[in-house]
Amino acid sequence: MNEDLENSEETYLPPDLIALDDLLPEQAYLLPIKSRPVFPGIITPLVVPNGKFVASVEASLLKDHFLGLVLLKKDNSPDDEIENMVEVGILCRILKKINLPDGGINILVNTIGRFKTEQIVQSKPLLMAKISYPEEPLATSKNTIKAMMRSLLILTKELAQNNPLFTEDMKLTMMNVDEPGKMADFVCSILNLEKEEYQSVIESFKVVDRLEKVLFYLKKEIELINLQRKIQDNINEKIDKQQRQYFLREQLKAIQTELGMDEGVFAKKYTKLIETLKNNNIDPSIQQEIHREIEKFHSTDPNSAEYNVIRNYLDVLEALPWEEPKTKEIDIAKARKILDQDHYKLEDVKERILEFLAVMKLNPKSRGMILCLVGPPGVGKTSIAKSIAKATGRKFYRLSVGGMRDEAEIKGHRRTYVGAMPGKIINALRITKEKDTIILLDELDKLAAGYQGDPGSALLEVLDPEQNYTFRDHYLDLAFDLSKVFFLATANTVDTIPRVLLDRMEIINISGYITDEKVQILKKYLWKKSMLRNGLEGKSIEIEPKSIADFINSYSRESGLRGLEKMTDKIARKLAIQFVEKKKIPKILEMKKIRELLGPAPFVDDRMTEPRVPGTALGLAWTQAGGSTLLMEALFLKGDGSLQLTGQLGKMMEESAKLAYSYIKNILSNTELFKDKSVHLHVPDGATPKDGPSAGITMASAILSLALGKLIKKGYAMTGEMTLTGEVLAIGGLREKIVAAKRANIKKIILPKDNSNDLDEIPDYVKKGLEFILVSHFKEVAKILLGYNVNEK
């Protein structure tokens, strides 16, 4: 600022005492102004920026000190554009000039009166015009003018009372002005108008017209100020109310603190909840509902029953992950490595899972990540789900739905009930605190409907990608987004899962393990795990490699690994007690030592897997526990040609038996064979329920073997549905049945030709050492097993 003062140059001009009317020039230099015009009769400063109009001021000072101020119509047009200037301007006289450091000047001018531009005399280098001074007639009676001046004075006083910007000098000036034209100009100069409105007053040469316009603008300004004051009063009233509520809340908090009921922690927590909802663009209706509950909480008596209900509800809302999940990079190579480390073989299952992870990587916003792992117990369905969570870097939550009968377990209870809680799905997210959690619905096939509702139906919304982004839990009663959750389900069979629920999931079948796979799993995983679990880590005890397969076949023939794990744990416990008793323990466990530790083997021979008499045939079946072998037995009894069935057979299996019996009776040439005999068909073991159509050709083979009195060739097992005319149709569970045959040391398997495509998809290491005979009609089966040529009637 000091530098500016040093560089500035101030010029003082002596006051001119000559009458201005005698000195008004016929020509004057013009100075365009942009924002608003200057009215006559006032002294005001003007800043002229550096440019050619500085020269106009200098030339005016050298000539007669007069300068014409003209308003520009458009501010963004060039200053010297003649068409952009209005015709009527204000003549002023320069009283004082100050040079500014930037080359511009600051002038103090006394505005004299209106002029009209008649002709532009000069445009370059300086703008000069020929001007005239129009008359300003009253054009009406003195009483009318007097009345208009009084109205103007009254309204101006009213404006001055409501406008704090009015100074005492302005009020005194207003009182001392007695000329109507000057009064109108002065009042207009203090109003807040558009520049076109200002200019319209300047161009009003008739004093009465000028007074009318100024009265109109003045009244309009007063109305605007009154409206502004009304709005301000309303705002002040609201602010006063908020301040009063604030002080009352603060007093309430102080009282609660004295009584030991401090709500400060809850207030901070719920304030943070509101901020979280706003920052994540949650639906405004949800924000409004939650805000309403918070307000209700603050105004509720802590001693009332409703107080804890509202607080528990808000605590649930606060614990939920409303934020969008952080982007997690999916490394397919890492995921493949984790799956290979945690699970042996299962290549087709791993590939399917990696395909889903690849889709998630390419399209993180995709929906529909709902997989269902189906397979017998103990094959690693739950551990695969944990591996997926590890590979994707997500949190894992296991929810067992087996035996669940209450719909509220899934969708929660309404808050009107005592002890109401949110459903298991919302509770899982509340615990994990992440929206993209992996939730495992374990034992999905064991859901049960009860009188409280059907939880399977409640899962329809949860597992539908087109609906679960607005999932509405009964307890929350707010739409919550579940579309980021990766749902996994496990089941032993899909038969008991409702079809509409099954359609919402991608099914991945996990088959049982063959003996070779179990050998490798025992070597690489189970034995080390069992040693660690039973405190024998680092003892360097191993099972003799050539004894592992014998150990598995003797003590663990189930499809999964749980039985094998139990046996290894039993061995480890026996070794642990010997170690504690300081007995000598061999480093290599041979089969003889294993039998000493475990006792007699439950599977001693293959007596029930080999047809030994006519009327027996070995079939392959699929159960919830995996594949198994069924040695079916048929026997003649005295009777009337009827068929007796035992072995807890289901309705479908009974129909298959009757169908096979009718077909065999039809193809035999000896029609008198069944005249006075009945056939008793039994399927061991009798304590296990069995159902399905795939035992058709096995039953027919057993009955045909009985009728012919001929033993079926050894080493064969079979599966296939049979029609009344002998056609062999496709069956399901092929891999499990092949694994069961291999486990029973069967080398030849008869299968329906329609299953040839399914057979191609089974890995070669599973089919290794087996011979598959594909048939399309039972007469092929009869020829292979009994050497019998079927001559159909």
Side-chain angles (χ1 to χ4, degrees):
M1 181 180 291
N2 293 334
E3 185 180 350
D4 291 344
L5 290 174
E6 291 175 3
N7 295 333
S8 66
E9 181 180 341
E10 191 172 299
T11 302
Y12 293 94
L13 303 174
D16 199 331
L17 302 178
I18 303 174
L20 291 176
D21 292 340
D22 299 332
L23 299 175
L24 293 180
E26 295 182 358
Q27 294 183 357
Y29 292 104
L30 300 183
L31 178 63
I33 54 179
K34 292 183 178 180
S35 57
R36 57 177 285 177
V38 181
F39 283 85
I42 63 173
I43 297 176
T44 183
L46 294 175
V47 176
V48 182
N50 188 17
K52 73 174 187 176
F53 293 110
V54 172
S56 296
V57 174
E58 298 290 351
S60 175
L61 290 173
L62 293 175
K63 183 184 175 189
D64 53 11
H65 296 194
F66 286 107
L67 197 61
L69 305 178
V70 288
L71 184 68
L72 292 175
K73 298 175 184 177
K74 297 180 180 179
D75 294 347
N76 57 357
S77 297
D79 291 342
D80 57 352
E81 186 179 348
I82 297 173
E83 292 78 6
N84 190 36
M85 295 188 299
V86 299
E87 290 185 357
V88 181
I90 302 297
L91 184 71
C92 69
R93 195 171 192 218
I94 304 173
L95 301 179
K96 187 178 181 179
K97 184 193 78 167
I98 300 175
N99 294 328
L100 301 177
D102 61 355
I105 57 174
N106 190 347
I107 58 176
L108 185 67
V109 298
N110 179 18
T111 55
I112 298 169
R114 292 166 172 77
F115 72 84
K116 185 175 182 181
T117 304
E118 297 293 341
Q119 181 182 354
I120 300 298
V121 177
Q122 173 183 316
S123 60
K124 293 182 181 179
L126 303 177
L127 187 60
M128 178 179 282
K130 180 181 179 182
I131 60 177
S132 62
Y133 306 97
E135 295 182 0
E136 300 181 15
L138 295 177
T140 187
S141 66
K142 291 183 178 180
N143 289 334
T144 302
I145 295 296
K146 191 173 183 180
M148 295 178 76
M149 290 179 67
R150 285 185 179 181
S151 297
L152 195 62
L153 187 60
I154 292 170
L155 291 175
T156 305
K157 287 181 178 180
E158 183 180 347
L159 179 65
Q161 291 175 355
N162 297 324
N163 192 341
L165 298 179
F166 263 85
T167 63
E168 290 298 325
D169 292 340
M170 289 182 180
K171 295 177 183 178
L172 288 173
T173 302
M174 185 67 197
M175 297 295 296
N176 293 324
V177 174
D178 55 357
E179 295 183 19
K182 289 184 178 180
M183 180 181 285
D185 288 339
F186 177 75
V187 173
C188 188
S189 67
I190 61 177
L191 296 180
N192 186 18
L193 306 177
E194 299 291 334
K195 71 176 183 177
E196 291 82 4
E197 294 173 335
Y198 286 126
Q199 184 63 26
S200 70
V201 174
I202 290 177
E203 293 177 356
S204 299
F205 300 126
K206 292 182 180 180
V207 175
V208 67
D209 292 343
R210 196 184 308 165
L211 287 169
E212 286 179 354
K213 285 187 178 181
V214 174
L215 281 170
F216 171 75
Y217 292 141
L218 181 57
K219 195 167 183 64
K220 182 179 175 183
E221 181 78 8
I222 291 173
E223 290 177 355
L224 185 62
I225 287 180
N226 289 335
L227 179 60
Q228 182 179 353
R229 184 176 60 184
K230 185 178 179 181
I231 294 172
Q232 188 67 35
D233 290 342
N234 290 337
I235 293 174
N236 290 337
E237 183 180 351
K238 290 181 180 178
I239 292 175
D240 291 342
K241 183 179 179 181
Q242 290 176 355
Q243 288 177 341
R244 185 167 61 253
Q245 290 178 349
Y246 172 77
F247 288 128
L248 289 174
R249 286 197 190 100
E250 291 299 317
Q251 289 176 354
L252 180 61
K253 289 179 183 178
I255 294 171
Q256 289 175 340
T257 303
E258 290 296 325
L259 295 175
M261 300 184 297
D262 187 10
E263 294 294 334
V265 176
F266 299 116
K268 291 179 182 178
K269 185 162 61 173
Y270 302 147
T271 301
K272 184 179 179 182
L273 171 61
I274 292 294
E275 292 176 357
T276 301
L277 297 174
K278 289 180 180 178
N279 294 336
N280 289 276
N281 297 322
I282 302 300
D283 190 338
S285 62
I286 296 177
Q287 295 188 40
Q288 184 178 0
E289 182 64 24
I290 294 176
H291 193 273
R292 189 177 68 83
E293 291 292 333
I294 293 175
E295 291 293 329
K296 189 193 299 183
F297 171 74
H298 288 308
S299 60
T300 303
D301 182 6
N303 295 318
S304 66
E306 189 180 6
Y307 178 82
N308 286 325
V309 172
I310 300 174
R311 197 177 101 182
N312 291 337
Y313 176 70
L314 291 174
D315 286 344
V316 172
L317 292 177
E318 190 273 333
L320 286 175
W322 296 98
E323 304 91 345
E324 287 298 309
K326 296 179 181 179
T327 303
K328 296 178 176 65
E329 185 64 28
I330 297 177
D331 189 340
I332 297 298
K334 178 184 176 183
R336 189 185 296 275
K337 183 178 180 181
I338 290 174
L339 290 172
D340 289 339
Q341 286 177 346
D342 294 347
H343 303 88
Y344 181 75
K345 293 296 183 179
L346 301 178
E347 301 300 334
D348 52 340
V349 176
K350 295 176 186 176
E351 201 62 32
R352 294 279 293 280
I353 292 171
L354 291 173
E355 289 171 5
F356 272 83
L357 297 182
V359 172
M360 290 174 61
K361 181 179 179 66
L362 295 176
N363 185 14
K365 295 183 179 179
S366 65
R367 296 175 182 171
M369 290 298 169
I370 301 172
L371 304 182
C372 184
L373 307 175
V374 179
V379 295
K381 299 185 293 296
T382 303
S383 62
I384 286 176
K386 291 180 180 178
S387 298
I388 294 174
K390 190 193 304 183
T392 56
R394 299 187 181 200
K395 289 188 177 180
F396 177 80
Y397 187 90
R398 177 182 169 273
L399 172 59
S400 178
V401 296
M404 189 179 289
R405 294 177 176 271
D406 191 353
E407 175 194 350
E409 293 285 335
I410 302 297
K411 301 198 72 173
H413 305 83
R414 301 192 185 278
R415 279 185 288 158
T416 53
Y417 297 108
V418 176
M421 295 184 298
K424 298 288 188 184
I425 303 298
I426 292 296
N427 197 50
L429 298 179
R430 178 187 175 189
I431 293 172
T432 60
K433 296 188 181 300
E434 288 190 5
K435 256 188 178 180
D436 58 350
T437 300
I438 290 182
I439 296 181
L440 175 66
L441 304 175
D442 210 5
E443 307 295 348
L444 188 63
D445 56 323
K446 296 174 181 62
L447 278 173
Y451 68 90
Q452 299 96 337
D454 183 6
S457 299
L459 281 173
L460 294 178
E461 182 183 1
V462 174
L463 299 182
D464 189 348
E466 300 302 322
Q467 298 181 42
N468 62 12
Y469 67 95
T470 56
F471 174 71
R472 191 173 285 270
D473 184 273
H474 288 158
Y475 182 80
L476 294 186
D477 201 22
L478 298 171
F480 193 85
D481 185 7
L482 296 181
S483 61
K484 304 295 189 301
V485 178
F486 190 166
F487 285 103
L488 287 170
T490 65
N492 298 129
T493 177
V494 297
D495 296 339
T496 56
I497 301 177
R499 180 59 53 185
V500 290
L501 188 59
L502 200 63
D503 289 341
R504 286 163 165 77
M505 299 182 290
E506 178 77 16
I507 304 300
I508 297 181
N509 290 298
I510 304 178
S511 303
Y513 295 100
I514 60 176
T515 301
D516 293 343
E517 291 174 329
K518 286 186 174 183
V519 169
Q520 296 300 323
I521 291 171
L522 180 63
K523 286 181 180 179
K524 296 181 179 180
Y525 305 100
L526 290 186
W527 184 252
K528 295 177 182 178
K529 185 178 177 182
S530 184
M531 292 291 104
L532 175 63
R533 188 164 48 234
N534 291 281
L536 296 175
E537 184 183 15
K539 303 304 179 185
S540 301
I541 304 174
E542 300 290 342
I543 299 178
E544 185 184 28
K546 65 180 181 180
S547 300
I548 294 178
D550 191 10
F551 160 58
I552 292 172
N553 289 328
S554 299
Y555 291 91
S556 174
R557 291 189 181 182
E558 77 286 348
S559 299
L561 299 171
R562 287 203 182 102
L564 181 59
E565 193 168 7
K566 291 176 183 177
M567 289 297 135
T568 55
D569 279 345
K570 187 174 182 179
I571 292 175
R573 290 194 300 272
K574 297 289 187 182
L575 295 175
I577 193 172
Q578 292 184 6
F579 180 81
V580 171
E581 293 174 349
K582 297 183 179 180
K583 294 182 179 179
K584 186 178 181 180
I585 302 175
K587 296 295 183 181
I588 302 297
L589 300 178
E590 298 179 352
M591 196 62 204
K592 181 180 178 182
K593 180 64 175 178
I594 293 174
R595 287 195 177 95
E596 290 178 6
L597 296 172
L598 297 181
F603 307 101
V604 291
D605 55 29
D606 296 329
R607 187 169 59 88
M608 293 303 294
T609 60
E610 182 179 335
R612 297 179 182 272
V613 295
T616 55
L618 184 63
L620 299 175
W622 180 91
T623 67
Q624 293 186 14
S628 64
T629 56
L630 296 176
L631 184 66
M632 299 188 184
E633 303 169 327
L635 186 67
F636 275 133
L637 300 173
K638 290 183 179 181
D640 54 358
S642 61
L643 177 67
Q644 298 181 31
L645 300 172
T646 54
Q648 288 207 52
L649 307 186
K651 185 176 180 180
M652 194 178 300
M653 204 165 184
E654 288 182 358
E655 291 178 352
S656 296
K658 293 175 182 178
L659 186 149
Y661 183 49
S662 298
Y663 176 77
I664 297 301
K665 287 173 66 176
N666 185 57
I667 65 172
L668 290 174
S669 57
N670 185 3
T671 57
E672 301 294 325
L673 184 62
F674 298 95
K675 186 175 182 180
D676 55 353
K677 295 178 182 178
S678 295
V679 174
H680 183 176
L681 183 65
H682 177 67
V683 184
D685 66 87
T688 304
K690 311 166 194 71
D691 202 3
S694 62
I697 64 172
T698 311
M699 292 176 172
S701 299
I703 296 172
L704 181 60
S705 170
L706 176 67
L708 297 177
K710 192 173 181 180
L711 184 64
I712 287 178
K713 291 182 180 179
K714 294 183 179 181
Y716 283 90
M718 67 200 84
T719 180
E721 180 181 354
M722 194 180 79
T723 68
L724 193 58
T725 58
E727 297 292 334
V728 179
L729 305 181
I731 46 84
L734 183 60
R735 191 185 194 277
E736 288 80 2
K737 293 176 180 178
I738 292 175
V739 169
K742 197 165 186 177
R743 206 161 43 234
N745 203 27
I746 303 297
K747 301 300 183 184
K748 298 179 181 181
I749 303 175
I750 298 175
L751 300 173
K753 186 174 288 185
D754 294 340
N755 283 110
S756 58
N757 292 334
D758 300 327
L759 187 63
D760 294 337
E761 293 181 0
I762 296 175
D764 292 336
Y765 70 88
V766 176
K767 298 184 289 187
K768 184 179 180 181
L770 299 177
E771 179 183 349
F772 299 97
I773 301 98
L774 302 179
V775 299
S776 58
H777 197 277
F778 181 75
K779 59 185 177 183
E780 301 173 53
V781 180
K783 180 69 174 176
I784 294 169
L785 297 179
L786 297 165
Y788 180 76
N789 294 317
V790 175
N791 295 318
E792 296 178 339
K793 298 179 182 179

